[in-house]
Every structure is written in structure tokens, then in C-alpha cells.
Amino acid sequence: TTGFKLCVQDAMSKYYNDTMRNRGFVDTELMIEIGLEDCDYVAVEVEHNFWKSKFLPLGGQKVKKELHVPCRQDLVDHLMSMANHKRQTFDCSTEDLKGEIGRVMMTPNRFNKSLLQLEEQRDIFSLKCFNPLPIEPYLEHMSQKLQQKRFHTRYAPRWKNNQKLRIRDKENECIWKNKMLQNLVRKILVEDYDYFSYCAKCLGTKNDLLHIG
């Protein structure tokens, strides 16, 4: 599309010509070097230590920070989405279910239960969850929090994984034909992975940004 061409011809694309570096996915190291002090909103896909070492110290004790954790409503569906992203097919007949979950799992180190300990500093740090699918309710929520751009222009996306994208065929995913297996997988996710444990406890509570009630 025209929008795609405009976006890939920008200055960021000129100096970083691979698909992982563009205006939608700037190197974290570059962001830190520029500085986060004047940012109202910081969005990065990094390991959990970033939030403690780089984000929490910003502004010292005077600036309150709120960490938003995207949590899909269906944990098993999220795992199957990861498998599809990795171009892997989940083996429902495996005798090593934990190993199979680990095989298709992606980036488990982006969240750690140690982040929950930071909530003891509630005057400067809080942890919130939200369901990112669909994304529009979260965007609407944040539109009430963040300063609007003075001039609005059409957004031209650049897909960083368009060459590897595999259309997901949920009907052919074997796990949806076995309710008992779904429950076992969900149990392992909650018990063995800090991220899924947090999401299962947070969604639908007062710490869910989009929960009504």
C-alpha cells in the first residue's frame, strides 16, 4: 500500500534496513541513550529487569509510574497463538506436556513475580493488567490519559514480521477438541509461569484497567 511505502522510506529505515528496526520498533538501547525522562508513555518488549533498572528510577520518588501488562482472556489461546507465531504445531499426543508447552512458549522472561514486590512502593509504582484483544478499548482508555497530538495524520504501519507471518487456522488446532487437555495446559501455565499466573489473578479485578464493575 502507499502508506507502507511511505513508512519504509523514512530516515529510520535508511539507517536500519532490517525488519526489526523502524519507527515502530526502535532499539531499546537507543531509547535509553536518548533518555526516557520526558516520556509520558514507554512501550518496549524487553525482559522484566528493564522496568526495575531503567523505568522505576525515572523521576525518583516524585513521579508515580504505572506498568500495564497485556493479558489475553484465554491463556490457552494465547499459547496457541505463540505456537503459530513460531510456526510450530502443538503436539496434543505428547507424553511430556510441560516440555511441549516450553517448546512453543515465547519470551517467558518479560514478566517476573519480583515486579509484584515493587507494588509495596504504591506511592510511586503500581501494576495493572488489560485484555489487548481487541485493542480499541485500551486505546480509548489511554486517550483520556495522554496528551493528544496537535496535528493528526494517517498512521502508516510497518509490519516487522510480515515475511514470516503464518495465518492461524484455529479449527485445525488439536487442543480445542480436548477439554481435559485444555484444563491441564491452563493449570501448568498458571503454576509454572509467573506471567500467566499474574494474568489469571488480575483480569476482572480492580487492577484490570478495562474492568467495569
Side-chain angles (χ1 to χ4, degrees), residues 20 54 74 161 165 185 211:
M20 289 298 290
K54 304 298 182 183
D74 189 329
N161 63 346
L165 185 64
V185 169
H211 178 62

Side-chain angles (χ1 to χ4, degrees), residues 1-181:
T1 64
T2 302
F4 180 83
K5 291 181 180 178
L6 286 174
C7 194
V8 299
Q9 291 175 1
D10 66 5
M12 187 64 71
S13 300
K14 177 180 179 182
Y15 293 104
Y16 297 101
N17 58 10
D18 60 271
T19 60
M20 289 298 290
R21 292 170 178 83
N22 53 73
R23 289 196 178 278
F25 201 94
V26 181
D27 267 338
T28 304
E29 293 80 5
L30 180 58
M31 293 170 59
I32 294 173
E33 184 175 321
I34 293 172
L36 305 173
E37 289 77 9
D38 291 327
C39 297
D40 293 323
Y41 187 93
V42 178
V44 289
E45 297 179 354
V46 291
E47 293 192 359
H48 65 90
N49 285 328
F50 169 88
W51 302 108
K52 291 183 288 184
S53 62
K54 304 298 182 183
F55 182 68
L56 189 60
L58 293 176
Q61 301 294 315
K62 298 180 180 180
V63 180
K64 184 173 182 178
K65 298 93 177 175
E66 191 172 86
L67 182 60
H68 296 176
V69 182
C71 293
R72 295 197 191 185
Q73 198 73 42
D74 189 329
L75 309 185
V76 177
D77 185 69
H78 193 178
L79 182 69
M80 294 303 105
S81 178
M82 292 180 182
N84 181 73
H85 186 85
K86 294 179 69 174
R87 304 182 70 83
Q88 301 286 342
T89 299
F90 190 82
D91 183 4
C92 294
S93 63
T94 180
E95 296 181 359
D96 180 13
L97 189 54
K98 287 190 176 184
E100 183 64 9
I101 290 173
R103 184 178 71 87
V104 301
M105 179 66 63
M106 291 181 61
T107 59
N109 292 326
R110 287 184 182 172
F111 185 91
N112 186 275
K113 61 183 178 181
S114 62
L115 290 172
L116 296 172
Q117 298 171 359
L118 297 178
E119 281 210 293
E120 296 176 2
Q121 309 176 55
R122 289 186 180 275
D123 53 331
I124 64 168
F125 183 84
S126 60
L127 202 62
K128 305 292 184 181
C129 64
F130 70 97
N131 183 2
L133 297 177
I135 194 61
E136 285 76 16
Y138 178 70
L139 296 179
E140 174 61 26
H141 172 81
M142 292 309 300
S143 71
Q144 308 302 316
K145 308 292 183 181
L146 300 176
Q147 179 181 347
Q148 294 286 326
K149 293 173 62 176
R150 179 177 297 179
F151 302 107
H152 292 265
T153 57
R154 185 171 59 85
Y155 175 63
R158 173 177 174 176
W159 309 110
K160 68 178 184 292
N161 63 346
N162 65 309
Q163 298 299 322
K164 299 179 180 179
L165 185 64
R166 182 173 74 167
I167 301 300
R168 185 179 171 192
D169 185 3
K170 188 173 179 177
E171 290 187 1
N172 284 328
E173 293 173 350
C174 58
I175 195 167
W176 306 117
K177 300 177 178 66
N178 189 330
K179 192 68 176 180
M180 183 178 294
L181 180 60

